[in-house]
C-alpha cells in the first residue's frame, strides 16, 4: 500500500520500507512547521526503517542557527532509521551537517545525487537488518 501527502513545496510518500520526502521551491524556517508535523505523523503511523529526502528542487533560506535547529530536529525524528539525502552541489554543506548530527546519534546515512541510487542503497541497508 502506498500512502502519500502533498502540500505546497513538499510531497511525502511511503511505499514499503521507505518514506520519501521531496521538497521544492523556497523553503524558510517559518514554512517548515506544517511539513515537520506531517513528517512526524508519517513516522509515528508507519514506522518506516528508512527515510529518503530529495531536496534538489528546494532553495533553503535559513540562517546558520536555523540550519542547526533543523539538522538537530531531523536527526531526532530519524533516530533509529537509515537516512539518505539526494541533493545538489550547492546544498552539500547543509546536507553534511544533517548527516553528521544523525551519525552522532547512532544513525546511518549517505548523500546521493541520484534518487534511484539513494533508494537502492536504503533498500539494501534495510534488507541487511
Amino acid at each position: 500500500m502506498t500512502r502519500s501527502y502533498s502540500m505546497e513545496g513538499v510531497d511525502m510518500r511511503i511505499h514499503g520500507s521507505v518514506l520519501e520526502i521531496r521538497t521544492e521551491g523556497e523553503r524558510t524556517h517559518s514554512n517548515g512547521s506544517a511539513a515537520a508535523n506531517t513528517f512526524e505523523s508519517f513516522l509515528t503511523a508507519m514506522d518506516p526503517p528508512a527515510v529518503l529526502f530529495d531536496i534538489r528542487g528546494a532553495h533553503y533560506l535559513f540562517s546558520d542557527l536555523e540550519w542547526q535547529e533543523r539538522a538537530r530536529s531531523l536527526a531526532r525524528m530519524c533516530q533509529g532509521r537509515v537516512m539518505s539525502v539526494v541533493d545538489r552541489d550547492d546544498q552539500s554543506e547543509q546536507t553534511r551537517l544533517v548527516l553528521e548530527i544523525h551519525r552522532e546519534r547512532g544513525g546511518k546515512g549517505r548523500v546521493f545525487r541520484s534518487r534511484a541510487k539513494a533508494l537502492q542503497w536504503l533498500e539494501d541497508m534495510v534488507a541487511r537488518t
Side-chain angles (χ1 to χ4, degrees):
M1 176 177 120
T2 300
R3 286 192 56 188
S4 62
Y5 179 81
S6 293
M7 58 191 303
E8 186 176 343
V10 179
D11 293 313
M12 295 183 203
R13 179 181 158 230
I14 188 159
H15 184 73
S17 61
V18 179
L19 172 58
E20 298 179 53
I21 299 98
R22 184 174 47 90
T23 57
E24 57 187 26
E26 279 192 1
R27 308 303 302 160
T28 64
H29 184 69
S30 63
N31 68 9
S33 298
N37 291 339
T38 303
F39 176 57
E40 278 199 288
S41 294
F42 265 72
L43 291 175
T44 300
M46 302 298 178
D47 196 25
V51 180
L52 183 153
F53 294 95
D54 186 343
I55 63 171
R56 293 174 293 179
H59 300 282
Y60 292 94
L61 306 173
F62 292 165
S63 69
D64 289 343
L65 182 59
E66 289 168 339
W67 263 117
Q68 286 283 337
E69 182 180 314
R70 177 63 57 97
R72 284 191 304 274
S73 178
L74 286 173
R76 178 188 53 77
M77 288 187 279
C78 292
Q79 193 163 355
R81 294 176 171 84
V82 182
M83 177 194 306
S84 67
V85 181
V86 183
D87 70 358
R88 303 183 313 259
D89 283 338
D90 64 318
Q91 297 169 319
S92 61
E93 187 60 29
Q94 293 93 350
T95 300
R96 183 199 57 76
L97 178 62
V98 171
L99 291 174
E100 182 179 294
I101 293 172
H102 182 62
R103 280 190 285 274
E104 287 172 1
R105 291 176 168 256
K108 292 182 181 161
R110 277 187 61 187
V111 64
F112 294 87
R113 296 290 193 264
S114 159
R115 179 191 165 277
K117 288 181 181 179
L119 190 57
Q120 184 61 56
W121 180 78
L122 286 171
E123 290 172 350
D124 290 347
M125 293 298 290
V126 169
R128 291 180 192 172
T129 60

